[in-house]
Amino acid sequence: MKHAQIFMAFFRAGMLGYGGGPASIPLILAEVKRYGWMDDDEFSDILAIGNTLPGPIATKMAGYIGYRVGGILGMLNAIVASVFPTVVLMIILLVSLASFRDYPWVQGMTNGVVPVVAVMLGALTWGFIKRSKQDFGWMKVIILLIGSILLIEIFGIHPALVILALLLFVFFRKPEKEQLKKEGETE
């Protein structure tokens, strides 16, 4: 039953994630929540680490989540479910639509889905911002947002480098006084 759930979860995300890997992320999150495989914080960590590594994000997430839920077989199951159906569908569509690609209705199909993908990504982004606010407060979140926009969009630094720098900063930073105080109280 577990492997059937893994397959169906990543099959649905792979088939409905129109617009590439980032468009699949909200769908993968919905599947993870549906089956209760992990909480939002762990999903956010997987997404952050996945963005720092090379390769398609949806496939990396499928591999890790599949492994976490069902071991090696779960990982292979999730990767096959997320990649194989779309490859077959792409071959069928490209072969059959190649002769119609200049028709306006084919162009309209592609353009019509883009706003829906934008809303899905916006909802996912807002969820991440709200969770970050719980951990850091609005001031730090706004500073991080502005800094990330400047580094990625204005200065053209690759997002993986920004995420890696933030992960290293958090890993090597000294604990704040308040956190030290809490740790002292629990000991």
Side-chain angles (χ1 to χ4, degrees), residues 66-79:
Y67 177 78
R68 189 168 173 286
V69 173
I72 298 290
L73 192 57
M75 176 189 70
L76 295 173
N77 186 7
I79 291 172

Side-chain angles (χ1 to χ4, degrees), residues 20-175:
S24 299
I25 294 169
L27 301 172
I28 294 171
L29 176 61
E31 297 295 335
V32 164
K33 285 183 174 180
R34 173 194 304 234
Y35 295 113
W37 288 334
M38 61 187 62
D39 61 22
D40 288 346
D41 290 337
E42 190 174 359
F43 187 84
S44 299
D45 292 343
I46 294 168
L47 181 59
I49 298 295
N51 271 324
T52 63
L53 300 173
I57 185 69
T59 308
K60 290 181 284 188
M61 294 182 79
Y64 176 77
I65 295 169
Y67 177 78
R68 189 168 173 286
V69 173
I72 298 290
L73 192 57
M75 176 189 70
L76 295 173
N77 186 7
I79 291 172
V80 167
S82 66
V83 173
F84 185 73
T86 55
V87 169
V88 171
L89 188 61
M90 185 174 158
I91 291 169
I92 291 169
L93 284 175
L94 285 177
V95 168
S96 61
L97 290 178
S99 57
F100 302 109
R101 69 177 169 219
D102 293 330
Y103 285 90
W105 63 271
V106 174
Q107 295 291 327
M109 279 176 29
T110 304
N111 295 336
V113 174
V114 171
V116 176
V117 172
V119 168
M120 289 180 359
L121 290 174
L124 181 70
T125 302
W126 180 244
F128 286 153
I129 290 172
K130 286 195 306 189
R131 275 195 299 281
S132 296
K133 179 237 165 203
Q134 291 171 354
D135 291 337
F136 300 120
W138 278 119
M139 185 58 74
K140 287 183 181 176
V141 170
I142 290 171
I143 290 170
L144 286 171
L145 282 172
I146 292 171
S148 298
I149 289 170
L150 288 173
L151 291 172
I152 294 169
E153 294 296 324
I154 305 298
F155 297 112
I157 296 176
H158 194 279
L161 294 176
V162 175
I163 292 170
L164 183 62
L166 287 171
L167 290 174
L168 290 174
F169 172 75
V170 171
F171 186 75
F172 289 112
R173 78 178 176 157
K174 292 181 180 179

